[in-house]
Each structure stands twice: as C-alpha cells, then as structure tokens.
Amino acid sequence: MPGALDGLRVLEIGDLVSAAYATKLLADLGADVVKVEARRGDLARGRGPFPRNTPHPDASGLFLYLNANKRGITLDLTHPRGQAALEALAGRIDLLVHNVHPTLMAAHGLDYERLAAANPRLVMTSIAPFGLSGPHASYRGPDVVTWSAGGVSTLNGLPGLPDLPPLKAFGDQSGFQAALNAAVGSLGALFARLASGRGEHVEVSAQESVAAILELTFEFWPYTGLVASRLGRKPIQPLCFVECRDGWLFLCAVEEHQWQSFVDLMGNPEWGGLEVFANRLARGANFDALEPFLQEWCRDRSVHELYEAAQRRRIPFAPVSTMGDLLASPHLRARGFFATLAHPVAGPVTMPGAPYKLSGTPWQLRTPAPTLGQHTADVLAEAGIDAAALSAAGVV
C-alpha cells in the first residue's frame, strides 16, 4: 500500500530522541530514511528497557521504537573521508535532519551553505537546545535543562508545597516536542520547495518548543494579574486526584451541576450540604476541609467503578492510567493503536502506533529498527561510495 511520503529521501544524523523521532514520523508515512550513526552507535542504544533486562545495543526499547522503518549506516563524520561521504549522500536526498550541537556542526560537515551548493533543493533541519543564534546558542541542554529553561518545570510539582522542588516530566519530553516541530517545519520547507524549486535551512530550538506549549501562562498576568505557578491553592474545587483501592482517579466536578451529581453519587452525605461547600469558590477556599471527605469516600472503591458511575451522570472524572492499563485498553485495542514487530535480536516488540489515521495512504510499520551498521554497504553503494575502502580507513 502506498505511503503518503513515498519517494521522499531523508538523512538523519544525531543521538537520542529529537532527530530520530522527527524522522520516524516521516518514515512511518513511507519516506526512505537513512539513519547515520557514529561508529559507537546512537546513544539511544544504551537506553533501556531491554528484553529480559539484558543490555544489548540492538535491543534497546527506546531505539527500537524511534528507528523502525529506517535503514541504518555507520559513518565517522569527524573524519575528512566521512564528511566527503556525507556530502555525496546529501547530494541525492531531499531532507537532512540532525541534532548535532551547534558548536560541533562544522566539525561534522554540517555546513548548510556547502551542502546546498551541491544540492540546491536540499532542506536541512537543525535541532539545537537553544537554536543556532542568540547568547545561549553554544549552551549544552539535556532534557532537564531545556524542559526547565522552557518554563514547564516551574509549573509542575505539588500545589501548595513550596518546599518541594519543581519537577520535570519523565523521559526526554523536550526532545519529542522539538521533534514534532522539526517534522512540521521540514514538511513546510519541502512544500515551499514545490513553488521555489530551492531548499532552505530550518532551525528548531528545544527551549522554544517547550515554551510554545505553555498554554495560557503568558496571559495570566494581563488577564488576571496572577503569575502562573504550581504553588498555592486552586481557586475552584474539586479538581484533584484521589486514591482508590486499586489506583488513582482524577476528580473534576467544578460546575455546580457536576458537583450536585457527585454529591448524589456519594449518597447525599450530610457534609455535602454544608455552607462552606456551597459553591465552587467556597469549595476551593475550604478544600483542606473538603478533601478528607472525598478521599475517605473514594478510598475503598474501585477506580473503574467510580469512573463508570460518574460517566453515567456526566461527571468528567478520569482514571489515571498505568502503562498496563493503556496496553490492555479495549478502546486502544479496537483502534489497533499498538503494533507488534519482530526484531532479529530483540524478538517480538510491541510499541505505540500512530496517533492519526490516513484513509488512503495509511501509517505502516514495515521494517524493524536497523542493527548497528546493517545497511552501510548498500546505502554507500547507491551513492557510488566504496564502503570497503572506508572500512579499511576506519571510517565506517
């Protein structure tokens, strides 16, 4: 079945998440993505989880997810012959995506002007912690840095507990956000090329990718005179998490009809009619008194029992899904969200599928992630490069 991006030729260079996820989004829609790794391999190969908890560079769960549907080669881009090979490969492609740090780009042959001179139709997308310009362009930025610099960490933590520090989200979330923007920006530049006939250089800042999803935080001050913060009380309640006998449930009953339905669900306890809980603002101001009542009532009940009961009353509660809950979700199973693909080293691997559906050119999981250097000889031969000579020189 044809893919939406069949015929698009892409080169990916870098480590870990941002470049790899950007090109995964394209590969899943049919693009021919060649992943260029240093001879040591992508650092993602060292990240778990691993089957049977046994580390192996060809069996990292993170790597297998990010790099399915790609071909993989090794190439030392710090070696002049490696850079010459890169230039030859770049002359045959549509898009080059990388997350090599700005201070190292030139040393890796990633000079857009030089590559574009040989291939004027080339689009090159550079992902950097703080972009390619500005006073922080040379700064290093792992996820905890860019997530914090983007402003999310100060909003994430336990409300009302100022002694506890800000928190970052699990994993490499700034990398995934930068990757989404890199994919969109790359496709935009490729679309513009249809009219101009020329490529362009796209740059993506991980910090700005995070700052761009801060929702209404910038409007808090001009609209309400408040600075957005994780600290302090929520002005309306209940809008909170409670622990049930088998997990956690998010309670949302801030509209008066929702609250009345919730009180009815709880059997109309006497405390539900107290004046201090008369409206959502009063419930917010007195939540230290309300919360124990809610927690006590929910503690011995099942998450899904309460969720289903609330749904019947149109109260927007939500179960806090564990990873096991998601994998077993009948809704996600019915939509075919998770996919299983056999890998020659890791064996069968189940991974998330695509969060979208195209009716005519669907997403497909075609091939497993490459083993280290699996396609080096074939890809270099396509570009007329002698892989054996580069191997003898220690370049591949």
Side-chain angles (χ1 to χ4, degrees):
M1 189 173 292
L5 298 179
D6 279 1
L8 183 69
R9 297 161 299 177
V10 182
L11 209 59
E12 172 210 319
I13 301 169
D15 286 304
L16 296 172
V17 169
S18 58
Y21 188 59
T23 58
K24 168 190 166 53
L25 295 172
L26 309 181
D28 288 353
L29 289 173
D32 177 15
V33 176
V34 172
K35 181 181 184 71
V36 179
E37 299 181 65
R39 296 178 69 203
R40 57 159 166 76
D42 183 343
L43 294 177
R45 291 182 180 273
R47 297 281 182 92
F50 297 98
R52 298 168 294 282
N53 293 319
T54 303
H56 189 289
D58 289 324
S60 153
L62 177 64
F63 185 87
L64 297 180
Y65 169 65
L66 291 174
N67 296 290
N69 289 337
K70 301 177 187 178
R71 296 189 288 167
I73 71 172
T74 57
L75 193 60
D76 181 0
L77 295 180
T78 65
H79 192 288
R81 294 185 67 174
Q83 293 182 18
L86 169 64
E87 190 167 356
L89 292 170
R92 301 166 49 85
I93 62 170
D94 301 291
L95 171 66
L96 190 160
V97 179
H98 77 90
N99 62 5
V100 175
H101 193 270
T103 58
L104 299 174
M105 284 172 58
H108 284 70
L110 294 168
D111 181 334
Y112 176 70
E113 285 69 25
R114 181 175 61 82
L115 295 176
N119 179 5
R121 293 177 56 81
L122 176 68
V123 173
M124 185 170 97
T125 298
S126 301
I127 307 170
F130 298 94
L132 303 185
S133 62
H136 295 169
S138 64
Y139 285 12
R140 297 285 175 172
D143 183 74
V144 67
V145 171
T146 48
W147 195 250
S148 300
V152 173
S153 293
T154 195
L155 302 176
N156 189 34
L158 292 177
L161 297 176
D163 293 336
L164 295 181
L167 296 174
K168 75 174 282 297
F170 173 81
D172 193 349
Q173 296 305 315
S174 67
F176 281 103
Q177 291 298 326
L180 287 169
N181 289 309
V184 171
S186 298
L187 291 174
L190 290 166
F191 187 77
R193 191 182 70 175
L194 296 175
S196 69
R198 300 188 64 84
E200 56 185 298
H201 192 182
V202 178
E203 64 164 300
V204 175
S205 158
Q207 180 195 28
E208 292 167 16
S209 297
V210 173
I213 58 170
L214 291 181
E215 299 181 66
L216 299 179
T217 54
F218 297 111
E219 286 76 25
F220 262 60
W221 181 258
Y223 277 58
T224 67
L226 298 174
V227 176
S229 171
R230 72 186 187 284
L231 305 177
R233 296 178 180 273
K234 292 186 176 75
I236 57 176
Q237 288 285 5
L239 197 66
C240 63
F241 295 94
V242 293
E243 190 171 10
C244 300
R245 72 166 183 258
D246 56 357
W248 288 83
L249 183 72
F250 180 69
L251 304 184
C252 176
V254 295
E255 300 292 343
E256 294 308 321
H257 67 90
Q258 296 168 350
W259 171 250
Q260 292 305 321
S261 294
F262 186 23
V263 171
D264 179 65
L265 173 61
M266 291 187 288
N268 292 294
E270 184 178 350
W271 57 260
L274 294 176
E275 185 67 23
V276 291
F277 306 145
N279 57 61
R280 57 186 175 179
L281 293 176
R283 293 189 290 273
N286 298 293
F287 191 61
D288 56 345
L290 175 60
E291 186 176 25
F293 287 121
L294 300 178
Q295 181 59 75
E296 181 181 7
W297 188 82
C298 294
R299 182 172 289 113
D300 295 328
R301 289 169 169 81
S302 128
V303 168
H304 283 279
E305 167 194 325
L306 290 184
Y307 169 65
E308 295 293 343
Q311 284 289 301
R312 289 192 292 271
R313 291 167 171 79
R314 299 185 62 78
I315 315 170
F317 291 1
V320 180
S321 298
T322 66
M323 300 305 101
D325 293 335
L326 289 173
L327 194 61
S329 165
H331 177 75
L332 294 180
R333 186 177 300 158
R335 288 179 54 79
F337 175 66
F338 289 102
T340 300
L341 187 65
H343 187 274
V345 176
V349 179
T350 299
M351 61 185 71
Y356 53 80
K357 290 185 180 293
L358 280 67
S359 62
T361 53
W363 170 91
Q364 296 179 71
L365 199 57
R366 303 181 305 277
T367 59
T371 57
L372 184 60
Q374 179 179 348
H375 304 100
T376 300
D378 291 343
V379 170
L380 293 182
E382 290 170 9
I385 301 169
D386 186 347
L390 291 184
S391 179
V395 179
V396 298

